[in-house]
Amino acid sequence: MSGHYNLVSWNVNGLRAAIKKGFLELLLEQKFDIVCIQETKVSPDKLPREAKNIPGYYNYFVSAEKNGYSGVGIFSKQKPLDLETGMGIRKFDREGRFLRADYEDFTLMNIYFPNGKASQERLEYKMDFYEIFLDYANTLKADGKKLVICGDVNTAHKEIDLARPKQNEMISGFLPEERAWMDKFVAAGFIDTFRMFNPEGGNYTWWSMRTGSRKRNVGWRLDYFFVSENLQDNVKSSSIYSDIMGSDHCPVGLELEF
DNA sequence: TCGGGCTGTAC
DNA sequence: ACAAATGCG
DNA sequence: GTACAGCCCGACCGCATTTGT
């Protein structure tokens, strides 16, 4: 069995706006075998025709019940053997944050984890989502599945993962409890693939739009590719495409070799 | 995220 | 049809 | 009385939707 997969994950901050800024080029160049996107902010019936008719790709979407909110999607050259559109828990599934695609060589999960900044309630919702997801991933792992987990995790794991750690210790996205969950997730055997190759600070995937932070690189690393330990040897590279514009996040990438 | 305006403390 | 306000991040 | 560190607060951008005229 041998194969090569080039994957990319991108929080596009509104798919329709991203398309106007040239998002579809990423697909038309055919460089990636699988493209995972988050924050599509669109329901399937409002999705532009051209996004559904990209030569060479199957496409799958879930959306929130609330209009213009959340939503994730996958473009895939290979047709997955199976597709799941949620974790099976209504309070999470109604926000369109989870897609799972099963391939012969691995199981892919594309996730837009909740943002906890708005209120205490939303922080609790985020922490609940984290716990349920870890249970879900551990169950698949116990089955011997090879897991690839990507998306917007909405937490910077360590001090090295954001430009202003001290100022944000009490802000959702870098709270002790959020970071502790990421410790637990990693301890459970899920590998932050970017750190397999790059130990340096200054590598971020999100920059605030409000004060021109991106050109000064005042950012956070919120977007990740994780793999289960049984896939570690198949990881060929993991990257941050910080020069690709069109969203307040930039894409992250993973190359797998079987 | 960043600056202004306010407080308090140190010298 | 356009402008302003709102919700969310 | 001046200097400085620390805290609080508000404006800030962009997407999509809803509301108002």
Side-chain angles (χ1 to χ4, degrees), chain A residues 28-166:
Chain A
L28 294 172
E29 62 183 348
Q30 302 283 323
K31 174 179 167 184
F32 297 103
D33 303 296
I34 304 174
V35 176
C36 295
I37 58 175
Q38 303 88 36
E39 276 205 271
T40 57
K41 298 188 177 187
V42 69
S43 52
D45 49 301
K46 289 183 179 171
L47 198 63
R49 283 268 178 275
E50 64 263 35
K52 292 188 188 175
N53 296 316
I54 306 293
Y57 288 97
Y58 298 92
N59 58 81
Y60 308 96
F61 295 92
V62 288
S63 60
E65 290 175 2
K66 187 192 299 239
N67 281 339
Y69 178 71
S70 186
V72 298
I74 296 176
F75 296 88
S76 175
K77 285 184 182 175
Q78 278 189 26
K79 189 184 173 89
L81 304 174
D82 194 16
L83 191 83
E84 293 285 337
T85 57
M87 295 192 290
I89 295 188
R90 167 144 174 82
K91 82 163 176 167
F92 298 128
D93 294 347
R94 67 197 292 273
E95 293 194 1
R97 298 180 174 276
F98 179 98
L99 273 177
R100 177 185 128 198
D102 297 343
Y103 297 90
E104 188 177 348
D105 290 324
F106 57 89
T107 291
L108 171 69
M109 288 184 270
N110 172 26
I111 309 172
Y112 174 41
F113 288 89
N115 187 304
K117 279 196 173 80
S119 65
Q120 186 62 34
E121 287 70 26
R122 290 304 291 177
L123 178 60
E124 284 168 18
Y125 181 89
K126 177 182 184 179
M127 296 309 299
D128 287 351
F129 191 107
Y130 275 160
E131 292 305 326
I132 293 292
F133 167 70
L134 183 50
D135 285 348
Y136 186 101
N138 275 332
T139 300
L140 292 178
K141 195 160 163 292
D143 262 7
K145 303 276 194 204
K146 296 181 173 182
L147 304 180
V148 175
I149 297 149
C150 71
D152 177 359
V153 178
N154 254 320
T155 295
H157 188 187
K158 300 181 177 177
E159 292 205 357
I160 193 179
D161 295 315
L162 72 167
R164 301 280 183 267
K166 287 288 174 285

